[in-house]
Amino acid sequence: GLDDYFQGDGVCLVEWPEKAGSYLPPPDLRVCLSLTHGASGAGRRAELIAAGARGETCLSSLKPLRGATS
């Protein structure tokens, strides 16, 4: 059943991949979340790190959004 989640062109996020051991395929993209504290209070920072060709493609498509806030 797990293999079905990782087939195709969709996105599958795994919060604690180290707990899954060898059941997961190698990551395409790593998302590292951290807490930040600035003049406007606490916030969160997301760092996206490509871990392969598919991750690089994904990051390239996000470059126009870099620095955008919502």
Side-chain angles (χ1 to χ4, degrees):
L2 272 180
D3 292 334
D4 294 337
Y5 287 109
F6 300 103
Q7 299 299 320
D9 293 330
V11 174
C12 187
L13 302 175
V14 179
E15 186 174 359
W16 299 104
E18 63 275 5
K19 292 186 177 188
S22 63
Y23 293 107
L24 298 177
D28 295 314
L29 188 68
R30 293 184 184 273
V31 180
C32 300
L33 303 174
S34 59
L35 294 175
T36 62
H37 300 283
S40 61
R44 290 174 184 80
R45 175 186 165 102
E47 181 180 7
L48 305 176
I49 304 163
R54 291 177 74 183
E56 289 287 348
T57 300
C58 182
L59 286 181
S60 293
S61 69
L62 294 174
K63 281 185 180 178
L65 301 175
R66 187 176 182 181
T69 58
S70 55

